[in-house]
Amino acid sequence: MAEPPRTTALSRLCWLLLPTVLALCVCELALALLGLGAAEQQVGRGFSRDVSYLLPDPQRAGAWRTQMFQGEEPEISIAPKGDARRVVLFGGSNTARFPGGNLRQFLDAAGPDRWEVVNLGRSGYGSARVLVLFEQALALEPDLVVIYSGHNEFVELGFEMQIEREWGALERPLVTAASKLRTFHALVAAFETGATAPAGRSPVAPERSAFEHDKFRSFQYAQTLRRLQAYEANLDRMCALAHERGVPVLLGTLFSNDLSAPFVSNIDPALGAEARRLAIEGLMRVHAAWPARWKEILPREPPVVLNLGDWEFGDGSGGAAPALRALPEPLAARGPLWADPSKWRARTHELMSAWARFHAGPTPDEREALPKLASELEGVLARVPDHPLAHYLLGLCRLASGEPERARESLELAARYDRAPLKASSLTNEIVRRVAGRHPGVALFDFDELVRARSPDRIVGFELMQDHCHAHADTYLMLMRDLAEIIAREWAASSGARAAAGGRR
Amino acid sequence: MIGSLLRSARAHLWWWLPPFVLTFALLAYLAWKQAHAASNPFTYDLG
């Protein structure tokens, strides 16, 4: 009589795993043979250290290519490192808009060295994702790195909140692991075929900012400061990593549009209901008494944000460009650095016309109304000293009253107290200076000062800026000349230091 | 041989079927969720 089959622990384990693994392997093989299920997007969305955002190019030894744009922009090919000095740029959309070709030309003209510029700036990236990319990009063997990051901390936090809302803590590592399988991507494609597009799933749209705004409506200032601590730690980590590899770092202060309104203003509940009621009533009286000619520049909720398309892809139907403030020398003869008005959209023209009316100065009636408005706002700030919107409106009143120094102070406080700023502030730049000061091999490039010095009354506005944090193309071009000079100078200094260290050895 | 493998598979049904079903169900769930994700944060261009 035959013995019944004996089940050993090993065979049980085999039966536990092998059928599943084999079935997955068969699926993967079949999909690979059919050319289906290739990874179209990395669900880590830049946050995951398990995803490689840079890959060696299989067709050229020593060459690299990025996989970080998810089909929205062409990926970057990086040639094998040659004799040219390699400078790698890191940051968000500002960095992405830095004209790397011009920077290379200016660098080549600045000294005997030949240069190669690799721009790894990516729209929406804040310091957390820049750090992930930075860690991987050191494999490119940069001779120098430039970090211009700090506008996107709360944009990035918004993304994190969104991912957390969509994917639970348990699901996130699972989906990251699953995204390595063709089977997963084939299933996603199959489900997408039948899926109706959810409301939020649309191409780039300015109204998306409303969505972000809602997330932060009740964000408290202590949370804002905590997020900026994380920003400081990320910058520290990047500087330390570069130092370990002996790579000099240029760390930039950030320039912003002082005239763009704070993104989120709210009142700390700890101040009490009465203070809150009185402050809101004061703000409503200011709103009601605000001069009619300047209504368009009053902040809206959600905020209105001009984007690149509003400056570059319109039909110019608004007519000639309005006159804003005169720029200081050497740009005085040049005027605003914006794009040809024949490319503007109508809403760009409307908003710039409103700013032109504001900068042209108040009528006698408006001038008479300004002290009352300022006094009302000071009353609000006596109750809520860190109210961003009140500081902002007070700044505008002071600017209209011909007090640019005091206006600058108020506008700075407005940006500083913004609960979820979409632009850097003096607070951000203090962090940048602090980080640059405490790391060896890190030099500062002061873009904030360079832009401020070229702005009327040192108040940065739409003459140089497209929106809250992005500049006009010619502003970037101007800054690339400055950056090339700074890079050439720092490279010479760090080369001298290395030569001296070599001589001592 | 195939007959013996099938007999063994039947004998071990409760060892391999649950992880098999669970793994593919999990994959399908994650893929379904990814396909219906409310939005892709990379489409923002605010910064």
Side-chain angles (χ1 to χ4, degrees):
Chain A
M1 199 172 72
E3 277 185 41
R6 273 187 305 178
T7 307
T8 63
L10 184 65
S11 77
R12 279 177 180 165
L13 190 68
C14 285
W15 277 111
L16 192 70
L17 297 173
L18 273 180
T20 309
V21 173
L22 273 175
L24 273 176
C25 289
V26 168
C27 287
E28 290 295 293
L29 193 66
L31 289 167
L33 288 173
L34 293 169
L36 297 173
E40 284 170 10
Q41 58 178 342
Q42 300 133 18
V43 292
R45 293 165 173 170
F47 292 102
S48 173
R49 285 187 160 78
D50 298 331
V51 176
S52 296
Y53 301 101
L54 284 156
L55 291 173
D57 189 335
Q59 274 142 27
R60 283 173 81 190
W64 295 81
R65 63 182 174 79
T66 60
Q67 54 165 14
M68 52 191 269
F69 294 102
Q70 299 192 299
E72 287 169 14
E73 288 170 48
E75 295 294 343
I76 300 169
S77 289
I78 300 149
K81 195 165 179 207
D83 295 334
R85 304 288 171 204
R86 175 173 283 174
V87 56
V88 183
L89 314 181
F90 293 93
S93 53
N94 262 284
T95 309
R97 292 186 195 185
F98 286 177
N102 294 108
L103 177 61
R104 188 184 54 76
Q105 284 174 4
F106 298 147
L107 277 167
D108 284 347
D113 291 301
R114 296 280 75 86
W115 290 85
E116 176 198 7
V117 175
V118 179
N119 189 340
L120 294 182
R122 172 77 166 100
S123 282
Y125 268 35
S127 64
R129 284 185 292 180
V130 171
L131 172 59
V132 174
L133 188 59
F134 190 93
E135 288 166 351
Q136 299 185 9
L138 286 173
L140 300 176
E141 301 173 69
D143 292 294
L144 188 142
V145 294
V146 172
I147 304 168
Y148 182 82
S149 176
H151 287 305
N152 282 347
E153 296 313 298
F154 295 86
V155 175
E156 190 164 76
L157 178 59
F159 296 166
E160 281 179 35
M161 289 156 81
Q162 188 175 334
I163 290 170
E164 277 172 21
R165 202 160 52 193
E166 285 177 13
W167 297 99
L170 261 177
E171 289 172 332
R172 261 171 276 148
L174 288 174
V175 78
T176 305
S179 68
K180 297 187 195 321
L181 297 172
R182 281 175 180 267
T183 313
F184 172 78
H185 293 288
L187 284 169
V188 172
F191 285 128
E192 273 178 344
T193 315
T196 50
R201 195 161 192 153
S202 62
V204 176
E207 61 271 21
R208 288 276 179 127
S209 57
F211 185 50
E212 289 294 312
H213 187 267
D214 283 345
K215 282 181 198 162
F216 292 109
R217 202 182 286 274
S218 58
F219 211 66
Q220 293 302 306
Y221 195 49
Q223 293 173 282
T224 312
L225 295 178
R226 269 203 298 282
R227 183 67 184 179
L228 289 174
Q229 281 173 356
Y231 164 66
E232 184 162 2
N234 290 336
L235 289 185
D236 271 329
R237 180 79 188 126
M238 283 186 255
C239 292
L241 279 172
H243 183 62
E244 281 169 19
R245 303 284 186 101
V247 181
V249 177
L250 272 175
L251 189 58
T253 59
L254 298 114
F255 60 92
S256 306
N257 188 342
D258 293 323
L259 297 180
S260 73
F263 191 58
V264 176
S265 290
N266 56 35
I267 298 171
D268 186 347
L271 291 174
E274 182 65 2
R276 179 188 171 81
R277 184 182 65 78
L278 291 170
I280 289 173
E281 282 176 6
L283 284 167
M284 286 171 74
R285 280 194 294 275
V286 170
H287 203 275
W290 192 258
R293 288 192 320 131
W294 303 341
K295 285 278 186 198
E296 282 98 333
I297 64 169
L298 270 182
R300 314 246 174 102
E301 192 172 310
V304 176
V305 178
L306 289 180
N307 60 34
L308 183 63
D310 293 320
W311 291 94
E312 305 275 347
F313 305 122
D315 60 3
S317 55
L324 296 191
R325 301 171 298 169
L327 291 173
E329 291 297 342
L331 299 171
R334 163 85 206 264
L337 302 190
W338 52 37
D340 180 356
S342 68
K343 295 178 184 168
W344 294 6
R345 286 194 179 131
R347 73 185 205 131
T348 311
H349 200 277
E350 282 163 21
L351 191 59
M352 290 308 109
S353 299
W355 278 109
R357 285 196 297 278
F358 176 78
H359 289 311
T363 61
D365 285 350
E366 287 163 355
R367 188 174 291 284
E368 206 173 306
L370 283 170
K372 191 164 172 274
L373 287 173
S375 150
E376 191 77 75
L377 288 162
E378 280 161 355
V380 172
L381 289 169
R383 293 187 179 91
V384 189
D386 66 353
H387 198 275
L389 178 61
H391 279 294
Y392 175 73
L393 295 175
L394 185 57
L396 293 187
C397 286
R398 287 171 167 172
L399 192 56
S401 308
E403 301 173 274
E405 295 281 332
R406 296 181 73 204
R408 200 167 53 242
E409 283 168 23
S410 294
L411 294 170
E412 184 191 327
L413 290 173
R416 201 179 169 93
Y417 288 132
D418 192 343
R419 306 302 193 253
L422 286 184
K423 62 176 185 179
S425 67
S426 56
L427 199 56
T428 325
N429 284 332
E430 281 164 21
I431 291 171
V432 171
R433 287 175 212 284
R434 213 157 49 222
V435 171
R438 66 175 165 244
H439 287 275
V442 176
L444 192 79
F445 63 101
D446 202 345
F447 266 8
D448 176 47
E449 174 55 30
L450 287 167
V451 172
R452 205 165 280 290
R454 287 154 173 154
S455 300
D457 300 316
R458 296 176 59 79
I459 295 175
V460 183
F462 288 95
E463 296 84 1
L464 298 183
M465 303 294 289
Q466 280 190 343
D467 58 23
H468 50 289
C469 71
H470 299 107
H472 298 301
D474 280 1
T475 310
Y476 288 124
L477 190 61
M478 177 181 79
L479 289 172
M480 288 307 102
R481 287 184 195 278
D482 298 324
L483 185 57
E485 273 179 33
I486 298 165
I487 290 174
R489 198 170 60 224
E490 284 307 317
W491 176 250
S494 66
S495 303
R498 275 196 300 275
R504 277 198 300 276
R505 275 198 299 271
Chain B
M1 183 175 160
I2 290 179
S4 146
L5 192 68
L6 287 175
R7 271 194 301 279
S8 188
R10 199 172 159 187
H12 292 89
L13 188 67
W14 291 109
W15 281 93
W16 65 266
L17 193 61
F20 186 93
V21 171
L22 274 177
T23 303
F24 280 91
L26 182 65
L27 260 181
Y29 163 74
L30 292 172
W32 176 86
K33 193 161 176 181
Q34 172 67 15
H36 292 78
S39 56
N40 178 353
F42 273 142
T43 57
Y44 289 89
D45 187 14
L46 295 171

